[in-house]
Amino acid sequence: MEGRLVLENPPLEEALEALRLRRSREDTVLIVGECSVKYDGRASSTLEPGDRIVLIKSDGSLQVHRPFELSPVNWQPSGSVLRVRVQDGLLFVRAYNPRGRESLEVVFSKLVLLAVLGLRDTGSFFLHASEEDMRSAILRQPSILEEGFKPIAVERQVEPGFVDILGLDGKGILTVVEVKRNDASRDAVLQLKRYVDSLRMETGKEVRGIIAAPGLARGAQSMLTSLGLEFKALSPQRCGEIIKRGKERKMTDFLR
Amino acid sequence: MEGRLVLENPPLEEALEALRLRRSREDTVLIVGECSVKYDGRASSTLEPGDRIVLIKSDGSLQVHRPFELSPVNWQPSGSVLRVRVQDGLLFVRAYNPRGRESLEVVFSKLVLLAVLGLRDTGSFFLHASEEDMRSAILRQPSILEEGFKPIAVERQVEPGFVDILGLDGKGILTVVEVKRNDASRDAVLQLKRYVDSLRMETGKEVRGIIAAPGLARGAQSMLTSLGLEFKALSPQRCGEIIKRGKERKMTDFLR
DNA sequence: ATTTACATTTCGGGG
DNA sequence: CCCCGAAGTGTAAAT
């Protein structure tokens, strides 16, 4: 943390000065108080007066949070241009997004807290066990899908789109694998069906279709069986572990 | 605003006490300081140390904001259970989501600001020119879609789902209208195709399919034509005006 | 409670 | 830069 300015119950003029003096947009700003909000752009919206928290970041993004709900009630993406002014005993905070020509205006009638914060954040963020991780796990250890399975292609294009994994099962039968990180929906089943049909047409041979996912939506279950497709339970956690083990193995490989 | 407690650079123990004393989750909490974050649930993630803002709301939601990017880097939805403790000179804030059995842990090594705020927000939020508004506009003034168009049903269920608007064109041909507030994707085209096919099967007659949206994605354009479907440009703004005019007309009707 | 479709979706990757 | 699809999507409505 490099610097900070925290004002409780500041007069509007004082708040205005603090906002204007913040080091050219590098600081993060928190404003808490009673305000109303108007937005106009792709859609338009109005928010009647109430107590909210406004968060303005160094990238020019702005968001208005009510005391409930995860998502902001109003926002403006990064790259917005901020303008503040005091008029008629009100503090106007306006964020204009040049791309999209969208505008957001927050009007404060009362301020509870104003913080101008020099935050320093260089830490890396790692997200594990994505759908891509699941594909990697199957490629690294095909037996988690089925004993004897051999991948032969990833992201292979067939007519309707890209197949996640294409391979041969233990008997040498062409097998399409559709990987989903969440429970597979009926849409996923239909997608797999299209791939299987397309490959049957293309090869003139038998083709198996397997959905690899943590689970199935109920409608998906019946649709799957009626279409002659299959399901293999596969949790992102398990895949994450395989990936991790794979990385460890890689490291020991270096040590050998 | 009913009450507030703002602490600058509080010792961890003092912060812990303030967090525990907040009126049974009704208050909104802001914590600013150096922290690291771990998440485990549908996926898992790690965030290395840095300065962040943590926002905890009265509904049990929690979000961790970096000084850049609109979206929180980590979060927990409403209904999460909060637990705080101090250990080994660190402040642990843990949010557990019973649904989904997901956990999020924020570990602060240094606190810059702690605010416990009694925010009162009962103001209503109005969003204009939504997709529903566009549907209403077509119903109110069907000619904006096509001269002679007559709506006969909204949200009519056919096999694959719910048709936005079902009607008859100037020649009495059954017409399915799929309304999109944004440029229609290929998914939207496929959805419309399913509706049209289903109604052709059902009625055994010719059926038209029209996408009403501000525009089309390019892939959607070619797919649309190859499937024999149609497109009608329709902006949310225009629809918004029609709705507004409709309301005005209603008011003048009262005056007559 | 579960499913479905929408969102000012946001975000990231590929062409 | 646009297009496209996934997201720890969130959210509200309908079943």
Side-chain angles (χ1 to χ4, degrees), chain B residues 39 42 74-77 102 186 217 219:
Chain B
Y39 155 76
R42 282 169 286 189
N74 279 112
W75 70 93
Q76 202 67 292
E102 301 188 288
R186 292 188 299 186

PDB file of all heavy atoms in Angstrom, chain B residues 39 42 74-77 102 186 217 219, chain D residues 3-5 7-11 14-15:
ATOM      1  N   TYR B  39      -9.708 -20.747  -3.222  1.00  0.00           N
ATOM      2  CA  TYR B  39     -11.084 -21.159  -3.482  1.00  0.00           C
ATOM      3  C   TYR B  39     -11.092 -22.637  -3.849  1.00  0.00           C
ATOM      4  O   TYR B  39     -10.201 -23.131  -4.537  1.00  0.00           O
ATOM      5  CB  TYR B  39     -11.688 -20.328  -4.612  1.00  0.00           C
ATOM      6  CG  TYR B  39     -12.817 -21.041  -5.329  1.00  0.00           C
ATOM      7  CD1 TYR B  39     -14.083 -21.146  -4.753  1.00  0.00           C
ATOM      8  CD2 TYR B  39     -12.607 -21.636  -6.561  1.00  0.00           C
ATOM      9  CE1 TYR B  39     -15.106 -21.817  -5.403  1.00  0.00           C
ATOM     10  CE2 TYR B  39     -13.622 -22.305  -7.219  1.00  0.00           C
ATOM     11  CZ  TYR B  39     -14.870 -22.394  -6.639  1.00  0.00           C
ATOM     12  OH  TYR B  39     -15.871 -23.059  -7.270  1.00  0.00           O
ATOM     13  N   ARG B  42     -16.527 -25.901  -7.441  1.00  0.00           N
ATOM     14  CA  ARG B  42     -16.702 -26.383  -8.811  1.00  0.00           C
ATOM     15  C   ARG B  42     -15.354 -26.449  -9.499  1.00  0.00           C
ATOM     16  O   ARG B  42     -15.041 -27.391 -10.206  1.00  0.00           O
ATOM     17  CB  ARG B  42     -17.637 -25.438  -9.572  1.00  0.00           C
ATOM     18  CG  ARG B  42     -19.078 -25.639  -9.227  1.00  0.00           C
ATOM     19  CD  ARG B  42     -19.925 -24.532  -9.791  1.00  0.00           C
ATOM     20  NE  ARG B  42     -19.770 -23.293  -9.043  1.00  0.00           N
ATOM     21  CZ  ARG B  42     -20.528 -22.220  -9.213  1.00  0.00           C
ATOM     22  NH1 ARG B  42     -21.468 -22.235 -10.127  1.00  0.00           N
ATOM     23  NH2 ARG B  42     -20.351 -21.139  -8.480  1.00  0.00           N
ATOM     24  N   ASN B  74     -12.324 -13.352  -7.053  1.00  0.00           N
ATOM     25  CA  ASN B  74     -12.945 -14.489  -6.352  1.00  0.00           C
ATOM     26  C   ASN B  74     -14.226 -14.003  -5.709  1.00  0.00           C
ATOM     27  O   ASN B  74     -14.377 -12.820  -5.418  1.00  0.00           O
ATOM     28  CB  ASN B  74     -12.017 -15.071  -5.270  1.00  0.00           C
ATOM     29  CG  ASN B  74     -10.964 -15.999  -5.816  1.00  0.00           C
ATOM     30  OD1 ASN B  74      -9.777 -15.700  -5.793  1.00  0.00           O
ATOM     31  ND2 ASN B  74     -11.393 -17.144  -6.314  1.00  0.00           N
ATOM     32  N   TRP B  75     -15.139 -14.934  -5.460  1.00  0.00           N
ATOM     33  CA  TRP B  75     -16.406 -14.540  -4.867  1.00  0.00           C
ATOM     34  C   TRP B  75     -17.076 -15.753  -4.254  1.00  0.00           C
ATOM     35  O   TRP B  75     -16.646 -16.891  -4.439  1.00  0.00           O
ATOM     36  CB  TRP B  75     -17.315 -13.916  -5.919  1.00  0.00           C
ATOM     37  CG  TRP B  75     -17.813 -14.898  -6.921  1.00  0.00           C
ATOM     38  CD1 TRP B  75     -18.982 -15.598  -6.875  1.00  0.00           C
ATOM     39  CD2 TRP B  75     -17.135 -15.320  -8.113  1.00  0.00           C
ATOM     40  NE1 TRP B  75     -19.072 -16.428  -7.969  1.00  0.00           N
ATOM     41  CE2 TRP B  75     -17.951 -16.281  -8.736  1.00  0.00           C
ATOM     42  CE3 TRP B  75     -15.919 -14.969  -8.702  1.00  0.00           C
ATOM     43  CZ2 TRP B  75     -17.586 -16.897  -9.918  1.00  0.00           C
ATOM     44  CZ3 TRP B  75     -15.557 -15.587  -9.882  1.00  0.00           C
ATOM     45  CH2 TRP B  75     -16.387 -16.536 -10.482  1.00  0.00           C
ATOM     46  N   GLN B  76     -18.142 -15.473  -3.548  1.00  0.00           N
ATOM     47  CA  GLN B  76     -19.013 -16.506  -3.022  1.00  0.00           C
ATOM     48  C   GLN B  76     -20.435 -15.947  -3.101  1.00  0.00           C
ATOM     49  O   GLN B  76     -20.653 -14.794  -2.752  1.00  0.00           O
ATOM     50  CB  GLN B  76     -18.592 -16.823  -1.584  1.00  0.00           C
ATOM     51  CG  GLN B  76     -19.005 -18.168  -1.061  1.00  0.00           C
ATOM     52  CD  GLN B  76     -18.346 -19.352  -1.733  1.00  0.00           C
ATOM     53  OE1 GLN B  76     -18.599 -19.621  -2.902  1.00  0.00           O
ATOM     54  NE2 GLN B  76     -17.529 -20.082  -0.995  1.00  0.00           N
ATOM     55  N   PRO B  77     -21.387 -16.734  -3.589  1.00  0.00           N
ATOM     56  CA  PRO B  77     -22.742 -16.199  -3.780  1.00  0.00           C
ATOM     57  C   PRO B  77     -23.462 -15.971  -2.456  1.00  0.00           C
ATOM     58  O   PRO B  77     -22.982 -16.357  -1.394  1.00  0.00           O
ATOM     59  CB  PRO B  77     -23.439 -17.287  -4.597  1.00  0.00           C
ATOM     60  CG  PRO B  77     -22.680 -18.534  -4.306  1.00  0.00           C
ATOM     61  CD  PRO B  77     -21.256 -18.110  -4.057  1.00  0.00           C
ATOM     62  N   GLU B 102     -18.997 -25.230  -1.510  1.00  0.00           N
ATOM     63  CA  GLU B 102     -17.823 -24.498  -1.969  1.00  0.00           C
ATOM     64  C   GLU B 102     -17.275 -23.655  -0.831  1.00  0.00           C
ATOM     65  O   GLU B 102     -18.023 -23.154   0.003  1.00  0.00           O
ATOM     66  CB  GLU B 102     -18.190 -23.591  -3.143  1.00  0.00           C
ATOM     67  CG  GLU B 102     -18.762 -24.347  -4.315  1.00  0.00           C
ATOM     68  CD  GLU B 102     -18.935 -23.472  -5.526  1.00  0.00           C
ATOM     69  OE1 GLU B 102     -19.833 -22.622  -5.522  1.00  0.00           O
ATOM     70  OE2 GLU B 102     -18.159 -23.637  -6.475  1.00  0.00           O
ATOM     71  N   ARG B 186     -25.539 -17.846 -33.942  1.00  0.00           N
ATOM     72  CA  ARG B 186     -25.956 -19.046 -34.680  1.00  0.00           C
ATOM     73  C   ARG B 186     -26.832 -19.927 -33.818  1.00  0.00           C
ATOM     74  O   ARG B 186     -27.729 -20.610 -34.325  1.00  0.00           O
ATOM     75  CB  ARG B 186     -24.709 -19.803 -35.140  1.00  0.00           C
ATOM     76  CG  ARG B 186     -23.943 -19.028 -36.195  1.00  0.00           C
ATOM     77  CD  ARG B 186     -22.847 -19.850 -36.787  1.00  0.00           C
ATOM     78  NE  ARG B 186     -21.873 -20.261 -35.772  1.00  0.00           N
ATOM     79  CZ  ARG B 186     -20.751 -20.893 -36.052  1.00  0.00           C
ATOM     80  NH1 ARG B 186     -20.478 -21.200 -37.302  1.00  0.00           N
ATOM     81  NH2 ARG B 186     -19.920 -21.229 -35.097  1.00  0.00           N
ATOM     82  N   ALA B 217     -24.822 -11.923 -36.188  1.00  0.00           N
ATOM     83  CA  ALA B 217     -23.420 -12.315 -36.281  1.00  0.00           C
ATOM     84  C   ALA B 217     -23.202 -12.882 -37.685  1.00  0.00           C
ATOM     85  O   ALA B 217     -24.138 -13.402 -38.297  1.00  0.00           O
ATOM     86  CB  ALA B 217     -23.097 -13.342 -35.214  1.00  0.00           C
ATOM     87  N   GLY B 219     -21.586 -15.497 -39.036  1.00  0.00           N
ATOM     88  CA  GLY B 219     -21.891 -16.905 -39.196  1.00  0.00           C
ATOM     89  C   GLY B 219     -23.393 -17.136 -39.202  1.00  0.00           C
ATOM     90  O   GLY B 219     -23.904 -17.987 -39.920  1.00  0.00           O
TER      91      GLY B 219
ATOM     92  P    DC D   3     -18.225  -9.076 -36.022  1.00  0.00           P
ATOM     93  OP1  DC D   3     -18.968  -8.775 -37.250  1.00  0.00           O
ATOM     94  OP2  DC D   3     -18.688  -8.535 -34.722  1.00  0.00           O
ATOM     95  O5'  DC D   3     -18.089 -10.645 -35.880  1.00  0.00           O
ATOM     96  C5'  DC D   3     -17.084 -11.339 -36.638  1.00  0.00           C
ATOM     97  C4'  DC D   3     -16.817 -12.677 -36.017  1.00  0.00           C
ATOM     98  O4'  DC D   3     -15.824 -12.549 -34.968  1.00  0.00           O
ATOM     99  C3'  DC D   3     -18.042 -13.330 -35.350  1.00  0.00           C
ATOM    100  O3'  DC D   3     -18.115 -14.687 -35.743  1.00  0.00           O
ATOM    101  C2'  DC D   3     -17.759 -13.213 -33.858  1.00  0.00           C
ATOM    102  C1'  DC D   3     -16.246 -13.254 -33.825  1.00  0.00           C
ATOM    103  N1   DC D   3     -15.631 -12.602 -32.641  1.00  0.00           N
ATOM    104  C2   DC D   3     -14.736 -13.328 -31.847  1.00  0.00           C
ATOM    105  O2   DC D   3     -14.488 -14.497 -32.152  1.00  0.00           O
ATOM    106  N3   DC D   3     -14.178 -12.721 -30.773  1.00  0.00           N
ATOM    107  C4   DC D   3     -14.477 -11.449 -30.494  1.00  0.00           C
ATOM    108  N4   DC D   3     -13.896 -10.899 -29.431  1.00  0.00           N
ATOM    109  C5   DC D   3     -15.396 -10.695 -31.291  1.00  0.00           C
ATOM    110  C6   DC D   3     -15.948 -11.308 -32.347  1.00  0.00           C
ATOM    111  P    DC D   4     -19.434 -15.502 -35.547  1.00  0.00           P
ATOM    112  OP1  DC D   4     -19.645 -16.242 -36.792  1.00  0.00           O
ATOM    113  OP2  DC D   4     -20.471 -14.580 -35.033  1.00  0.00           O
ATOM    114  O5'  DC D   4     -19.084 -16.538 -34.394  1.00  0.00           O
ATOM    115  C5'  DC D   4     -17.831 -17.253 -34.449  1.00  0.00           C
ATOM    116  C4'  DC D   4     -17.507 -17.799 -33.089  1.00  0.00           C
ATOM    117  O4'  DC D   4     -16.912 -16.764 -32.275  1.00  0.00           O
ATOM    118  C3'  DC D   4     -18.702 -18.334 -32.314  1.00  0.00           C
ATOM    119  O3'  DC D   4     -18.578 -19.735 -32.159  1.00  0.00           O
ATOM    120  C2'  DC D   4     -18.656 -17.609 -30.969  1.00  0.00           C
ATOM    121  C1'  DC D   4     -17.257 -17.019 -30.935  1.00  0.00           C
ATOM    122  N1   DC D   4     -17.163 -15.745 -30.195  1.00  0.00           N
ATOM    123  C2   DC D   4     -16.251 -15.641 -29.137  1.00  0.00           C
ATOM    124  O2   DC D   4     -15.549 -16.610 -28.849  1.00  0.00           O
ATOM    125  N3   DC D   4     -16.178 -14.466 -28.455  1.00  0.00           N
ATOM    126  C4   DC D   4     -16.954 -13.442 -28.803  1.00  0.00           C
ATOM    127  N4   DC D   4     -16.839 -12.308 -28.108  1.00  0.00           N
ATOM    128  C5   DC D   4     -17.893 -13.546 -29.878  1.00  0.00           C
ATOM    129  C6   DC D   4     -17.967 -14.711 -30.547  1.00  0.00           C
ATOM    130  P    DG D   5     -19.787 -20.542 -31.496  1.00  0.00           P
ATOM    131  OP1  DG D   5     -19.934 -21.790 -32.260  1.00  0.00           O
ATOM    132  OP2  DG D   5     -20.949 -19.636 -31.315  1.00  0.00           O
ATOM    133  O5'  DG D   5     -19.205 -20.886 -30.058  1.00  0.00           O
ATOM    134  C5'  DG D   5     -17.900 -21.454 -29.965  1.00  0.00           C
ATOM    135  C4'  DG D   5     -17.420 -21.403 -28.528  1.00  0.00           C
ATOM    136  O4'  DG D   5     -17.198 -20.030 -28.137  1.00  0.00           O
ATOM    137  C3'  DG D   5     -18.405 -21.981 -27.504  1.00  0.00           C
ATOM    138  O3'  DG D   5     -17.679 -22.740 -26.543  1.00  0.00           O
ATOM    139  C2'  DG D   5     -19.019 -20.733 -26.867  1.00  0.00           C
ATOM    140  C1'  DG D   5     -17.846 -19.782 -26.899  1.00  0.00           C
ATOM    141  N9   DG D   5     -18.235 -18.377 -26.859  1.00  0.00           N
ATOM    142  C8   DG D   5     -19.240 -17.767 -27.575  1.00  0.00           C
ATOM    143  N7   DG D   5     -19.346 -16.490 -27.327  1.00  0.00           N
ATOM    144  C5   DG D   5     -18.348 -16.246 -26.401  1.00  0.00           C
ATOM    145  C6   DG D   5     -17.970 -15.045 -25.764  1.00  0.00           C
ATOM    146  O6   DG D   5     -18.464 -13.913 -25.900  1.00  0.00           O
ATOM    147  N1   DG D   5     -16.907 -15.225 -24.886  1.00  0.00           N
ATOM    148  C2   DG D   5     -16.282 -16.423 -24.668  1.00  0.00           C
ATOM    149  N2   DG D   5     -15.270 -16.432 -23.794  1.00  0.00           N
ATOM    150  N3   DG D   5     -16.622 -17.567 -25.257  1.00  0.00           N
ATOM    151  C4   DG D   5     -17.657 -17.401 -26.106  1.00  0.00           C
ATOM    152  P    DA D   7     -16.059 -23.501 -19.104  1.00  0.00           P
ATOM    153  OP1  DA D   7     -14.805 -24.091 -18.601  1.00  0.00           O
ATOM    154  OP2  DA D   7     -17.305 -24.296 -19.154  1.00  0.00           O
ATOM    155  O5'  DA D   7     -16.358 -22.169 -18.275  1.00  0.00           O
ATOM    156  C5'  DA D   7     -15.373 -21.150 -18.186  1.00  0.00           C
ATOM    157  C4'  DA D   7     -15.833 -20.070 -17.240  1.00  0.00           C
ATOM    158  O4'  DA D   7     -16.792 -19.211 -17.888  1.00  0.00           O
ATOM    159  C3'  DA D   7     -16.535 -20.577 -15.967  1.00  0.00           C
ATOM    160  O3'  DA D   7     -16.212 -19.746 -14.854  1.00  0.00           O
ATOM    161  C2'  DA D   7     -18.015 -20.419 -16.302  1.00  0.00           C
ATOM    162  C1'  DA D   7     -17.989 -19.154 -17.146  1.00  0.00           C
ATOM    163  N9   DA D   7     -19.091 -19.064 -18.117  1.00  0.00           N
ATOM    164  C8   DA D   7     -19.709 -20.088 -18.775  1.00  0.00           C
ATOM    165  N7   DA D   7     -20.653 -19.699 -19.595  1.00  0.00           N
ATOM    166  C5   DA D   7     -20.645 -18.321 -19.473  1.00  0.00           C
ATOM    167  C6   DA D   7     -21.411 -17.314 -20.087  1.00  0.00           C
ATOM    168  N6   DA D   7     -22.381 -17.557 -20.969  1.00  0.00           N
ATOM    169  N1   DA D   7     -21.154 -16.031 -19.744  1.00  0.00           N
ATOM    170  C2   DA D   7     -20.177 -15.790 -18.841  1.00  0.00           C
ATOM    171  N3   DA D   7     -19.395 -16.661 -18.196  1.00  0.00           N
ATOM    172  C4   DA D   7     -19.685 -17.917 -18.561  1.00  0.00           C
ATOM    173  P    DG D   8     -14.728 -19.799 -14.210  1.00  0.00           P
ATOM    174  OP1  DG D   8     -14.410 -18.482 -13.633  1.00  0.00           O
ATOM    175  OP2  DG D   8     -13.774 -20.458 -15.176  1.00  0.00           O
ATOM    176  O5'  DG D   8     -14.946 -20.772 -12.990  1.00  0.00           O
ATOM    177  C5'  DG D   8     -15.367 -22.082 -13.204  1.00  0.00           C
ATOM    178  C4'  DG D   8     -16.422 -22.461 -12.173  1.00  0.00           C
ATOM    179  O4'  DG D   8     -15.901 -22.173 -10.867  1.00  0.00           O
ATOM    180  C3'  DG D   8     -17.720 -21.668 -12.300  1.00  0.00           C
ATOM    181  O3'  DG D   8     -18.842 -22.495 -12.048  1.00  0.00           O
ATOM    182  C2'  DG D   8     -17.607 -20.576 -11.240  1.00  0.00           C
ATOM    183  C1'  DG D   8     -16.762 -21.281 -10.184  1.00  0.00           C
ATOM    184  N9   DG D   8     -15.931 -20.305  -9.467  1.00  0.00           N
ATOM    185  C8   DG D   8     -14.722 -19.812  -9.888  1.00  0.00           C
ATOM    186  N7   DG D   8     -14.207 -18.947  -9.066  1.00  0.00           N
ATOM    187  C5   DG D   8     -15.121 -18.877  -8.033  1.00  0.00           C
ATOM    188  C6   DG D   8     -15.099 -18.111  -6.854  1.00  0.00           C
ATOM    189  O6   DG D   8     -14.244 -17.324  -6.483  1.00  0.00           O
ATOM    190  N1   DG D   8     -16.224 -18.338  -6.074  1.00  0.00           N
ATOM    191  C2   DG D   8     -17.241 -19.205  -6.395  1.00  0.00           C
ATOM    192  N2   DG D   8     -18.251 -19.266  -5.544  1.00  0.00           N
ATOM    193  N3   DG D   8     -17.276 -19.919  -7.515  1.00  0.00           N
ATOM    194  C4   DG D   8     -16.187 -19.715  -8.271  1.00  0.00           C
ATOM    195  P    DT D   9     -19.843 -22.821 -13.272  1.00  0.00           P
ATOM    196  OP1  DT D   9     -21.160 -23.364 -12.885  1.00  0.00           O
ATOM    197  OP2  DT D   9     -18.993 -23.525 -14.202  1.00  0.00           O
ATOM    198  O5'  DT D   9     -20.002 -21.320 -13.763  1.00  0.00           O
ATOM    199  C5'  DT D   9     -21.021 -20.475 -13.173  1.00  0.00           C
ATOM    200  C4'  DT D   9     -20.570 -19.042 -13.224  1.00  0.00           C
ATOM    201  O4'  DT D   9     -20.369 -18.702 -14.581  1.00  0.00           O
ATOM    202  C3'  DT D   9     -21.607 -18.084 -12.664  1.00  0.00           C
ATOM    203  O3'  DT D   9     -21.190 -17.700 -11.354  1.00  0.00           O
ATOM    204  C2'  DT D   9     -21.555 -16.884 -13.620  1.00  0.00           C
ATOM    205  C1'  DT D   9     -21.021 -17.479 -14.915  1.00  0.00           C
ATOM    206  N1   DT D   9     -22.025 -17.756 -15.952  1.00  0.00           N
ATOM    207  C2   DT D   9     -22.879 -16.759 -16.377  1.00  0.00           C
ATOM    208  O2   DT D   9     -22.869 -15.643 -15.893  1.00  0.00           O
ATOM    209  N3   DT D   9     -23.746 -17.123 -17.372  1.00  0.00           N
ATOM    210  C4   DT D   9     -23.847 -18.349 -17.999  1.00  0.00           C
ATOM    211  O4   DT D   9     -24.659 -18.548 -18.900  1.00  0.00           O
ATOM    212  C5   DT D   9     -22.934 -19.354 -17.516  1.00  0.00           C
ATOM    213  C7   DT D   9     -22.913 -20.732 -18.122  1.00  0.00           C
ATOM    214  C6   DT D   9     -22.080 -19.016 -16.534  1.00  0.00           C
ATOM    215  P    DG D  10     -22.223 -17.906 -10.129  1.00  0.00           P
ATOM    216  OP1  DG D  10     -21.427 -17.724  -8.908  1.00  0.00           O
ATOM    217  OP2  DG D  10     -23.053 -19.096 -10.299  1.00  0.00           O
ATOM    218  O5'  DG D  10     -23.162 -16.632 -10.295  1.00  0.00           O
ATOM    219  C5'  DG D  10     -22.619 -15.333 -10.163  1.00  0.00           C
ATOM    220  C4'  DG D  10     -23.709 -14.312 -10.469  1.00  0.00           C
ATOM    221  O4'  DG D  10     -24.160 -14.519 -11.816  1.00  0.00           O
ATOM    222  C3'  DG D  10     -24.946 -14.424  -9.586  1.00  0.00           C
ATOM    223  O3'  DG D  10     -25.495 -13.131  -9.358  1.00  0.00           O
ATOM    224  C2'  DG D  10     -25.877 -15.296 -10.410  1.00  0.00           C
ATOM    225  C1'  DG D  10     -25.540 -14.861 -11.821  1.00  0.00           C
ATOM    226  N9   DG D  10     -25.712 -15.929 -12.821  1.00  0.00           N
ATOM    227  C8   DG D  10     -25.164 -17.185 -12.806  1.00  0.00           C
ATOM    228  N7   DG D  10     -25.490 -17.901 -13.839  1.00  0.00           N
ATOM    229  C5   DG D  10     -26.317 -17.072 -14.588  1.00  0.00           C
ATOM    230  C6   DG D  10     -26.992 -17.304 -15.815  1.00  0.00           C
ATOM    231  O6   DG D  10     -26.992 -18.320 -16.506  1.00  0.00           O
ATOM    232  N1   DG D  10     -27.717 -16.182 -16.212  1.00  0.00           N
ATOM    233  C2   DG D  10     -27.792 -15.002 -15.526  1.00  0.00           C
ATOM    234  N2   DG D  10     -28.536 -14.045 -16.065  1.00  0.00           N
ATOM    235  N3   DG D  10     -27.175 -14.775 -14.373  1.00  0.00           N
ATOM    236  C4   DG D  10     -26.459 -15.848 -13.967  1.00  0.00           C
ATOM    237  P    DT D  11     -26.674 -12.969  -8.303  1.00  0.00           P
ATOM    238  OP1  DT D  11     -26.485 -11.658  -7.683  1.00  0.00           O
ATOM    239  OP2  DT D  11     -26.730 -14.183  -7.462  1.00  0.00           O
ATOM    240  O5'  DT D  11     -27.997 -12.936  -9.183  1.00  0.00           O
ATOM    241  C5'  DT D  11     -28.046 -12.133 -10.356  1.00  0.00           C
ATOM    242  C4'  DT D  11     -29.378 -12.326 -11.047  1.00  0.00           C
ATOM    243  O4'  DT D  11     -29.276 -13.371 -12.046  1.00  0.00           O
ATOM    244  C3'  DT D  11     -30.527 -12.728 -10.112  1.00  0.00           C
ATOM    245  O3'  DT D  11     -31.608 -11.841 -10.271  1.00  0.00           O
ATOM    246  C2'  DT D  11     -30.896 -14.127 -10.551  1.00  0.00           C
ATOM    247  C1'  DT D  11     -30.445 -14.154 -12.001  1.00  0.00           C
ATOM    248  N1   DT D  11     -30.088 -15.504 -12.487  1.00  0.00           N
ATOM    249  C2   DT D  11     -30.565 -15.919 -13.712  1.00  0.00           C
ATOM    250  O2   DT D  11     -31.266 -15.227 -14.418  1.00  0.00           O
ATOM    251  N3   DT D  11     -30.189 -17.189 -14.073  1.00  0.00           N
ATOM    252  C4   DT D  11     -29.407 -18.058 -13.339  1.00  0.00           C
ATOM    253  O4   DT D  11     -29.141 -19.181 -13.760  1.00  0.00           O
ATOM    254  C5   DT D  11     -28.949 -17.557 -12.069  1.00  0.00           C
ATOM    255  C7   DT D  11     -28.080 -18.428 -11.195  1.00  0.00           C
ATOM    256  C6   DT D  11     -29.302 -16.334 -11.712  1.00  0.00           C
ATOM    257  P    DA D  14     -43.078 -16.432 -15.568  1.00  0.00           P
ATOM    258  OP1  DA D  14     -43.802 -15.728 -16.640  1.00  0.00           O
ATOM    259  OP2  DA D  14     -43.491 -16.275 -14.148  1.00  0.00           O
ATOM    260  O5'  DA D  14     -43.056 -17.983 -15.894  1.00  0.00           O
ATOM    261  C5'  DA D  14     -42.268 -18.463 -16.991  1.00  0.00           C
ATOM    262  C4'  DA D  14     -42.055 -19.956 -16.854  1.00  0.00           C
ATOM    263  O4'  DA D  14     -41.033 -20.205 -15.867  1.00  0.00           O
ATOM    264  C3'  DA D  14     -43.301 -20.736 -16.388  1.00  0.00           C
ATOM    265  O3'  DA D  14     -43.408 -21.938 -17.127  1.00  0.00           O
ATOM    266  C2'  DA D  14     -43.009 -21.008 -14.918  1.00  0.00           C
ATOM    267  C1'  DA D  14     -41.489 -21.199 -14.963  1.00  0.00           C
ATOM    268  N9   DA D  14     -40.836 -20.991 -13.679  1.00  0.00           N
ATOM    269  C8   DA D  14     -41.066 -20.006 -12.766  1.00  0.00           C
ATOM    270  N7   DA D  14     -40.311 -20.081 -11.685  1.00  0.00           N
ATOM    271  C5   DA D  14     -39.531 -21.200 -11.926  1.00  0.00           C
ATOM    272  C6   DA D  14     -38.519 -21.813 -11.172  1.00  0.00           C
ATOM    273  N6   DA D  14     -38.117 -21.381  -9.973  1.00  0.00           N
ATOM    274  N1   DA D  14     -37.928 -22.911 -11.689  1.00  0.00           N
ATOM    275  C2   DA D  14     -38.327 -23.353 -12.898  1.00  0.00           C
ATOM    276  N3   DA D  14     -39.264 -22.852 -13.692  1.00  0.00           N
ATOM    277  C4   DA D  14     -39.831 -21.767 -13.147  1.00  0.00           C
ATOM    278  P    DT D  15     -44.810 -22.760 -17.024  1.00  0.00           P
ATOM    279  OP1  DT D  15     -45.362 -22.845 -18.384  1.00  0.00           O
ATOM    280  OP2  DT D  15     -45.627 -22.196 -15.923  1.00  0.00           O
ATOM    281  O5'  DT D  15     -44.333 -24.211 -16.582  1.00  0.00           O
ATOM    282  C5'  DT D  15     -43.176 -24.791 -17.213  1.00  0.00           C
ATOM    283  C4'  DT D  15     -42.632 -25.918 -16.350  1.00  0.00           C
ATOM    284  O4'  DT D  15     -41.959 -25.369 -15.198  1.00  0.00           O
ATOM    285  C3'  DT D  15     -43.712 -26.863 -15.806  1.00  0.00           C
ATOM    286  O3'  DT D  15     -43.295 -28.207 -16.034  1.00  0.00           O
ATOM    287  C2'  DT D  15     -43.751 -26.567 -14.310  1.00  0.00           C
ATOM    288  C1'  DT D  15     -42.327 -26.106 -14.047  1.00  0.00           C
ATOM    289  N1   DT D  15     -42.193 -25.214 -12.870  1.00  0.00           N
ATOM    290  C2   DT D  15     -41.201 -25.474 -11.954  1.00  0.00           C
ATOM    291  O2   DT D  15     -40.434 -26.400 -12.060  1.00  0.00           O
ATOM    292  N3   DT D  15     -41.157 -24.582 -10.903  1.00  0.00           N
ATOM    293  C4   DT D  15     -41.979 -23.490 -10.690  1.00  0.00           C
ATOM    294  O4   DT D  15     -41.852 -22.773  -9.710  1.00  0.00           O
ATOM    295  C5   DT D  15     -42.997 -23.284 -11.680  1.00  0.00           C
ATOM    296  C7   DT D  15     -43.952 -22.134 -11.529  1.00  0.00           C
ATOM    297  C6   DT D  15     -43.060 -24.134 -12.715  1.00  0.00           C
TER     298       DT D  15
END
